[in-house]
Amino acid sequence: MNLFIHWNIDPEIVKIFGISVRYYGILFVGGILLALLMLEKMAKLQGFTSKEWDKLTLYGLLGIVLGARLGHCLFYEPGYFLAHPVEILLPIQHLPDGGYHFTGFQGLASHGGALGLIIALALFTYQTKRSLWVTLDLVAVVTPISAFFIRMANLMNSEIIGKPTDVPWAFVFEKVDMLPRHPSQLYEGLSYLFIFIVNMVLYRKFKNRVGTGFFFGLTIALIFIARFFIEFLKERQVAFEESMTMDMGQWLSIPFVLIGAYLVWRSLKMKK
């Protein structure tokens, strides 16, 4: 007899003055803040000033949020959002009767967040004259812990669900249907947590590799390798993916994996 896990968590914790406080927002912000706390100590070891750190934090946060939002809108639902551009950057939805209502930001793409962060860090290093590779390596070490929290936020929302299965640890996402499914959010989240632990162990042993692109390459390669294979267990997110051999997430993961593998190889070759 299979004892499936029935999952029916209310995504909303409380509503204050009409504004919904949700697990998603708390976990999303909490994951980023935890990563920033660790990153601050690492940046100071590299000689970053307080002014540079403040700027790095601002650029990084804007890059992640804007990149993730634009990535979702342009990669997964370009037709809708190009017809409703105001909804890309504002947490509202256009109603059939012509009005709007507050929805919060529903839809963030990790690939877009990664691209946005890289662009933001490149701009930061251009303005501060800091090393791009040092900055990318430092940020990469702690990034997976944020990714772990974000996937846990997806779990609380009962979104990005897996395909039906009969494995003993299957989840029944009651807000979706009554089918036992792969908890793909957990698969991804635990993968990212493992990558974070690997990063921290390697960082403590090989701090001299910071600035070679090693940690940046390793992180994006491992994260998107995990993403690529776990996608086989996930339901397609948008209708147009049904006709695709590999879904959009997998196609977008391939260049990240290739670039990451090359950077690791280049770093090891430099050291050798």
Side-chain angles (χ1 to χ4, degrees):
M1 179 178 179
N2 288 315
L3 299 176
F4 301 131
I5 300 170
H6 285 256
W7 191 257
N8 194 28
I9 300 294
D10 187 346
E12 183 179 272
I13 302 172
V14 67
K15 184 169 289 187
I16 302 175
F17 301 116
I19 298 176
S20 175
V21 178
R22 295 173 172 261
Y23 287 105
Y24 187 96
I26 290 177
L27 288 167
F28 188 97
V29 174
I32 292 177
L33 289 178
L34 179 59
L36 286 174
L37 286 173
M38 293 182 287
L39 180 60
E40 183 176 15
K41 296 179 180 179
M42 296 160 59
K44 287 182 178 179
L45 290 176
Q46 292 290 332
F48 280 64
T49 66
S50 296
K51 185 176 181 180
E52 288 174 334
W53 168 248
D54 291 342
K55 182 174 288 189
L56 174 62
T57 302
L58 176 62
Y59 280 37
L61 289 175
L62 288 176
I64 291 171
V65 175
L66 292 177
R69 182 59 179 162
L70 288 172
H72 172 82
C73 296
L74 299 179
F75 295 153
Y76 291 96
E77 299 182 81
Y80 176 83
F81 283 103
L82 289 177
H84 304 84
V86 69
E87 295 180 27
I88 295 177
L89 298 179
L90 295 180
I92 58 176
Q93 184 177 45
H94 185 260
L95 298 174
D97 62 6
Y100 288 90
H101 75 100
F102 178 84
T103 60
F105 287 118
Q106 299 180 358
L108 298 170
S110 58
H111 299 87
L115 282 173
L117 178 59
I118 292 169
I119 292 171
L121 295 181
L123 181 60
F124 163 79
T125 56
Y126 173 78
Q127 292 187 344
T128 60
K129 309 304 180 185
R130 278 282 172 184
S131 166
L132 175 61
W133 290 114
V134 168
T135 306
L136 288 174
D137 275 343
L138 291 177
V139 172
V141 171
V142 300
T143 293
I145 194 63
S146 291
F148 164 73
F149 274 83
I150 290 170
R151 281 297 175 254
M152 293 304 97
N154 296 136
L155 178 64
M156 301 306 288
N157 270 2
S158 296
E159 61 189 5
I160 314 183
I161 59 175
K163 294 179 178 179
T165 181
D166 60 357
V167 298
W169 58 85
F171 275 49
V172 177
F173 295 99
E174 295 184 7
K175 294 187 181 301
V176 179
D177 55 32
M178 296 305 293
L179 295 176
R181 296 176 176 275
H182 283 289
S184 53
Q185 315 94 326
L186 274 179
Y187 297 163
E188 277 194 70
L190 293 176
S191 297
Y192 300 155
L193 182 60
F194 174 75
I195 294 169
F196 169 71
I197 293 171
V198 169
N199 275 358
M200 293 304 296
V201 170
L202 292 176
Y203 172 75
R204 289 175 181 175
K205 290 187 176 182
F206 305 106
K207 286 187 177 68
N208 61 325
R209 290 196 185 278
V210 172
T212 67
F214 174 79
F215 289 103
F216 175 66
L218 180 67
T219 299
I220 63 172
L222 291 179
I223 281 180
F224 288 106
I225 285 173
R227 174 72 184 271
F228 181 88
F229 286 106
I230 293 171
E231 286 290 317
F232 285 113
L233 302 177
K234 292 164 62 175
E235 289 284 13
R236 300 293 172 94
Q237 294 189 50
V238 288
F240 73 80
E241 291 181 314
E242 296 297 336
S243 61
M244 301 169 64
T245 304
M246 296 191 301
D247 64 27
M248 181 62 74
Q250 290 172 309
W251 283 111
L252 293 172
S253 294
I254 292 173
F256 283 98
V257 173
L258 295 176
I259 293 171
Y262 167 74
L263 290 174
V264 171
W265 172 81
R266 189 193 70 158
S267 170
L268 296 175
K269 185 178 179 182
M270 289 168 58
K271 284 295 175 185
K272 185 176 180 180

